[in-house]
Amino acid sequence: MKESIRSRYEARAKILKAMAHPSRLLIIEELQKKERCVNELTAMVGADTSTVSKHLSVLRNAGLVIDEKRANCIYYTLRCTCILDFIGCVEDVLAAKAEDHKKIMKSCKK
Amino acid sequence: MKESIRSRYEARAKILKAMAHPSRLLIIEELQKKERCVNELTAMVGADTSTVSKHLSVLRNAGLVIDEKRANCIYYTLRCTCILDFIGCVEDVLAAKAEDHKKIMKSCKK
DNA sequence: TTCTTATTTGGCCATATAGCCAAATAGAAA
DNA sequence: TTTCTATTTGGCTATATGGCCAAATAAGAA
């Protein structure tokens, strides 16, 4: 694989990797609804503040969210809402998987 | 976070995680064009056969690809082509990031 | 100033991952 | 049968990740 090609795939992988965590997916979905500060997100995720803060920094580094200081909180916003579209596709994969599973169970019964 | 909600996010995260690797993204893109056997993919990725085989098993476990034995090869196929749509979104994120970077560089020059 | 409150960072540990090599497996060809 | 080819699996090491706690930082409120 050529170097230039590889680095393009690496850039993409970095973004997917940033999304590939249950807590971060929750955060992404919440931020799509409205901006939130770390405190609020921490309550939603139900983990240590430091843990959530690190998750947010992963999302920020990947360019998925933006943070803005206002009043005495730091508000996080989702940057590209198209992100949510692709959750739909992920659901399709899950559905296809479930369908297969059903088929396998069926053929076992025979 | 409720248990039922968490497990849904975990299922999604598993799929994203499976995609979040440069070599696997390359494989996904190649498989979108046409089915390929391990050998061919190994050449494209440029890694050890065993490494590529493990990447394929990650994709298979996530339900992203299907394998079918035919002649003396095992052919892999992409299961949901919608996967590709969302690469477009990832590119948007990258573009937005690049744009920001430009702005920062500009403001530094002042 | 000191006391809160909000957030990030550092340290530590446990776990997961990617990579390679070597070995196992399966099937086709000789 | 042996041999070759395709693929997977096991073993190993190095590296990265997620989680918590504790400490640092920043900014407002008292």
Side-chain angles (χ1 to χ4, degrees):
Chain A
M1 195 176 353
K2 260 192 293 180
E3 192 47 48
S4 60
I5 307 272
R6 167 152 294 272
S7 68
R8 213 172 93 229
Y9 284 116
E10 269 165 12
R12 290 175 181 180
K14 200 186 157 193
I15 290 176
L16 287 165
K17 208 173 171 186
M19 299 180 66
H21 187 284
S23 303
R24 293 198 288 264
L25 284 176
L26 172 89
I27 292 171
I28 288 170
E29 264 197 16
E30 288 304 323
L31 293 184
Q32 193 252 353
K33 292 179 206 156
K34 62 179 280 193
E35 61 170 17
R36 295 284 191 182
C37 66
V38 186
N39 240 356
E40 294 173 306
L41 293 169
T42 299
M44 289 167 181
V45 171
D48 196 87
T49 318
S50 67
T51 302
V52 174
S53 173
K54 278 173 189 173
H55 282 312
L56 287 167
S57 105
V58 170
L59 292 173
R60 196 183 335 109
N61 286 332
L64 289 164
V65 302
I66 308 173
D67 61 320
E68 190 197 345
K69 190 156 204 171
R70 220 165 55 237
N72 57 342
C73 288
I74 298 182
Y75 288 92
Y76 280 85
T77 322
L78 189 61
R79 198 201 235 146
C80 293
T81 46
C82 62
I83 294 291
L84 262 290
D85 299 343
F86 83 43
I87 302 292
C89 173
V90 170
E91 285 297 325
D92 288 353
V93 176
L94 287 172
K97 231 179 135 184
E99 195 53 44
D100 279 10
H101 196 251
K102 245 192 239 169
K103 275 183 200 161
I104 290 164
M105 297 309 276
K106 229 175 186 173
S107 69
C108 284
K109 280 185 195 158
K110 282 175 193 169
Chain B
M1 197 177 350
K2 264 194 292 182
E3 191 46 49
S4 58
I5 307 273
R6 168 153 293 272
S7 70
R8 213 173 93 229
Y9 284 116
E10 269 166 12
R12 291 176 182 177
K14 199 186 157 193
I15 291 175
L16 286 165
K17 209 172 169 185
M19 299 179 67
H21 187 284
S23 303
R24 293 199 288 266
L25 284 176
L26 172 88
I27 291 171
I28 287 170
E29 263 196 17
E30 288 304 324
L31 293 185
Q32 193 252 351
K33 292 180 206 154
K34 62 179 280 194
E35 61 171 19
R36 295 285 190 182
C37 66
V38 187
N39 241 356
E40 294 173 304
L41 292 170
T42 299
M44 290 168 181
V45 171
D48 196 86
T49 317
S50 67
T51 302
V52 174
S53 173
K54 279 172 188 172
H55 281 314
L56 287 166
S57 104
V58 170
L59 293 172
R60 196 184 335 107
N61 286 332
L64 290 164
V65 302
I66 308 174
D67 59 320
E68 190 196 347
K69 190 157 206 169
R70 223 166 51 236
N72 57 343
C73 288
I74 298 183
Y75 287 92
Y76 279 84
T77 323
L78 189 60
R79 197 200 234 148
C80 293
T81 46
C82 62
I83 294 291
L84 262 290
D85 298 343
F86 83 43
I87 302 291
C89 173
V90 170
E91 285 297 327
D92 287 353
V93 176
L94 287 172
K97 231 177 133 183
E99 195 51 45
D100 279 10
H101 196 252
K102 244 192 240 167
K103 274 183 200 161
I104 290 164
M105 296 310 275
K106 228 175 187 173
S107 68
C108 283
K109 279 183 198 161
K110 283 175 192 170

